[in-house]
Amino acid sequence: MTHQDWLRKAQTLHIESRLFIEGRYVDALGGGSFDCINPSTGAVLARVAQGEAQDIDAAVASALAAWNDRRWRRLAPRERMQVMNRWADLVEQHADELALLETLDMGKPISDMLNIDLPEVLRTIRYFAECIDKVEGAVTHTAPGSLHMILHEPLGVVGAITPWNYPMLMAVWKLAPILAAGNCVVLKPAEQAPLTCTRLAALFVEAGGPAGVFNLVNGLGPEAGRALALHPDVIKLSFTGSTRVGKLLMGYAGQSNMKRVALETGGKSPQIFMPDLYDLDAAVDRAVGGIFDNAGQVCNAGSRLLVHRDLQDAFIAKFIARTQVLYQPGDPLDPATTLGPLASQPHQRKVLADIARGQAEGAQMVMGGTQVALPGTYVPPTLFVGHNRMAIAQEEIFGPVATLIPFDTEAEAIALANDSVYGLAAAVWTRDLHQAHRMVGALEAGVVWVNCFGDGDMTQPFGGYKQSGNSRDKHVDSLLSYMQTKSAWFQVG
Ligand code: NAD
């Protein structure tokens, strides 16, 4: 479809703005709502029902009833699998609608929605559907007269709280394994971009998912999110978002029922470019994509570029030239656009303030600074040269801003890379396999890429070391993390 086609389609798009509880759309009990704003125009897209604690109570009660009468977990694995696969098929059938909704809602380029987010959403649901009857328990070796089985059982009602940067995908990284494992779920999406998740819940029921198994409450973090995190009937909370809120959630769990808390939080990922790397052009392209994809609103964004001093000048020249080719700001509904606005005005203000702080603390801005001549919350791609103790190198900016930090030795590069409270991801570019192997071992990160960046598939456990989190999305381990083992010991002789 062309830019004009998408603009026309946007005008007739139906937007559902209610909550979804017990298999149907409902208004918030308190009758409140909040504005959902298109960041590329500033227009109000919808007034979304604003759930509060009483709505969370209703959603959890619905999920608990579904859990207690076993309407989902008692289904044979193959039947659950069929529902999950039909769900994926429906998402695929509604791909244009979902892509458009999310582009309008958070400003992500429509081509990214169609080529990155949606295919990954489908892969995720189908992967975990496939896993359902592959999870096996065990019979352990015991003394004669005993039979010991280890069973994997779902947990109960799981709460999920998700961010706005990949609204549908981050939710599905939680929902697919939670549901595949046989749990019931209450999702609280980010208030900045809630529209696609609302549709996901309805499509699950349309696919044959029993009412009450997947409930959704939109609302503000400190109200609806907090109520979900404090709820005594929620046995596990699965969260993707900032480290600050992740810490709060651990506290809420302790204040309530000691629920398990799975956290996927922030990052400040280093990419290390050694002097012998194989292809500087290819490496620079991945450095550019690693920080400017999704306008830098990526948890594992390669925001710290550790570049060997011998490469520094050539690296910077190529980085600037390639950014100009690859990341031109534009209307996110134009399929040619690769750089959309940031997701909201407050976030744009925060990122611009971070850039100003970088200049104030003496970092050299070698690219950026010019205003984008478009309405909307755009921030131009920005590159600083600085050092690792600067705030711009320590704090997550979550925008299109990278800091290049030169180094001289491998040991120095590793020390700089690890000098962070975060440990989500890292990359090493080198042609020396021994060095790569050594550095993979030394880097404190949950994901390390060698001679690539951001690559992976569903077999890759994704999550962080240190304050980047304590759990893993994707991979069959994620499914198991929404189950618990039961030991069944039989006296048989
Ligand atoms: P955020 O922490 O502000 O919000 C995330 C969610 O938490 C939202 O749904 C929000 O409403 C909710 N929330 C806010 N305050 C709350 C409270 N007091 N109690 C309960 N819930 C509350 O994060 P964000 O700005 O939406 O997302 C950006 C962050 O997400 C970045 O730090 C990014 O690195 C992180 N992220 C991490 C990963 C990962 O896999 N590690 C992936 C994507 C994003």
Side-chain angles (χ1 to χ4, degrees):
M1 283 206 282
T2 65
H3 189 188
Q4 289 309 318
D5 294 336
W6 285 112
L7 288 168
R8 257 193 307 274
K9 211 171 160 57
Q11 277 167 3
T12 55
L13 183 70
H14 171 71
I15 297 182
E16 181 51 65
S17 56
R18 288 171 290 174
L19 317 180
F20 193 83
I21 298 177
E22 195 61 21
R24 57 198 182 87
Y25 290 118
V26 294
D27 290 317
L29 291 168
S33 63
F34 61 91
D35 286 347
C36 184
I37 294 178
N38 176 346
S40 63
T41 62
V44 176
L45 273 174
R47 293 188 62 81
V48 175
Q50 182 168 332
E52 296 169 6
Q54 52 188 339
D55 303 284
I56 290 289
D57 286 346
V60 174
S62 166
L64 191 59
W67 170 254
N68 285 335
D69 70 16
R70 298 174 168 257
R71 68 186 82 158
W72 177 238
R73 61 180 154 138
R74 73 160 181 235
L75 296 186
R78 284 267 146 191
E79 287 178 68
R80 274 211 312 275
M81 194 185 284
Q82 275 169 4
V83 174
M84 299 282 292
N85 280 324
R86 273 200 299 269
W87 186 32
D89 293 346
L90 284 173
V91 170
E92 195 163 26
Q93 284 162 28
H94 288 79
D96 284 355
E97 174 204 344
L98 293 165
L100 185 54
L101 268 179
E102 200 149 296
T103 291
L104 293 171
D105 206 0
M106 66 79 61
K108 189 189 296 274
I110 193 89
S111 48
D112 285 5
M113 281 308 303
L114 294 169
N115 300 321
I116 299 170
D117 294 51
L118 271 157
E120 187 70 11
V121 163
L122 296 175
R123 270 194 292 274
T124 304
I125 299 175
R126 290 177 175 144
Y127 172 83
F128 285 108
E130 267 304 309
C131 287
I132 290 177
D133 63 359
K134 312 293 183 296
V135 169
E136 293 176 343
V139 176
T140 65
H141 294 285
T142 51
S146 303
L147 171 67
H148 178 223
M149 293 188 278
I150 300 176
L151 309 169
H152 292 284
E153 297 191 336
L155 296 170
V157 176
V158 179
I161 300 180
T162 51
W164 47 260
N165 60 335
Y166 291 84
M168 193 168 29
L169 180 58
M170 291 301 99
V172 164
W173 277 9
K174 311 292 189 199
L175 296 166
I178 290 170
L179 291 167
N183 299 288
C184 300
V185 64
V186 175
L187 170 65
K188 207 301 279 175
E191 54 270 40
Q192 294 84 351
L195 300 179
T196 43
C197 287
T198 310
R199 292 293 294 132
L200 282 181
L203 291 176
F204 177 75
V205 170
E206 200 178 321
V213 170
F214 175 1
N215 298 304
L216 171 137
V217 177
N218 284 313
L220 307 185
E223 292 175 1
R226 181 171 177 276
L228 185 59
L230 282 167
H231 204 290
D233 293 329
V234 172
I235 188 166
K236 176 163 179 168
L237 190 68
S238 186
F239 172 76
T240 300
S242 63
T243 295
R244 179 188 72 79
V245 174
K247 290 177 181 179
L248 288 177
L249 300 184
M250 294 180 110
Y252 299 153
Q255 290 161 38
S256 54
N257 60 339
M258 237 169 69
K259 56 179 66 69
R260 300 146 198 233
V261 183
L263 302 172
E264 304 289 346
T265 50
K268 196 76 195 176
S269 301
Q271 286 217 61
I272 303 174
F273 300 89
M274 301 304 291
D276 68 338
L277 62 77
Y278 192 69
D279 177 349
L280 185 60
D281 290 335
V284 168
D285 271 11
R286 301 306 292 275
V288 168
I291 184 62
F292 300 138
D293 275 354
N294 206 23
Q297 302 163 118
V298 182
C299 52
N300 63 267
S303 51
R304 289 188 296 148
L305 303 172
L306 309 185
V307 178
H308 192 275
R309 213 174 292 278
D310 291 351
L311 296 177
Q312 183 176 342
D313 291 345
F315 188 101
I316 291 172
K318 286 177 190 286
F319 189 95
I320 293 171
R322 291 301 286 163
T323 300
Q324 277 160 7
V325 173
L326 297 173
Y327 291 93
Q328 280 303 319
D331 179 355
L333 285 180
D334 181 346
T337 293
T338 47
L339 188 75
L342 299 192
S344 69
Q345 211 171 50
H347 189 53
Q348 181 199 33
R349 276 198 295 273
K350 177 218 170 295
V351 173
L352 291 175
D354 286 341
I355 291 174
R357 188 167 53 167
Q359 290 173 291
E361 64 187 345
Q364 184 196 358
M365 189 161 74
V366 292
M367 182 181 77
T370 51
Q371 293 237 320
V372 175
L374 286 169
T377 52
Y378 291 85
V379 169
T382 300
L383 178 65
F384 282 108
V385 178
H387 64 75
N388 201 54
R389 292 315 301 171
M390 288 175 163
I392 50 165
Q394 287 293 315
E395 292 175 22
E396 187 179 41
I397 295 175
F398 219 56
V401 184
T403 304
L404 184 149
I405 300 155
F407 69 86
D408 293 298
T409 65
E410 177 186 318
E412 190 188 353
I414 291 169
L416 288 167
N418 291 341
D419 175 24
S420 171
V421 297
Y422 296 112
L424 185 51
V428 181
W429 292 81
T430 173
R431 72 169 70 196
D432 178 343
L433 192 57
H434 297 283
Q435 180 173 57
H437 195 251
R438 234 178 8 249
M439 292 177 80
V440 166
L443 286 165
E444 297 165 355
V447 181
V448 182
W449 287 290
V450 177
N451 294 334
C452 60
F453 189 80
D455 298 37
D457 62 19
M458 290 308 300
T459 67
Q460 172 191 50
F462 187 88
Y465 280 17
K466 304 198 279 191
Q467 292 186 39
S468 288
N470 61 7
S471 67
R472 298 291 179 267
D473 285 328
K474 302 165 68 180
H475 191 267
V476 70
D477 277 1
S478 168
L479 180 73
L480 289 171
S481 76
Y482 296 109
M483 306 185 94
Q484 55 193 339
T485 55
K486 177 180 277 175
S487 155
W489 195 282
F490 293 73
Q491 183 60 46
V492 290

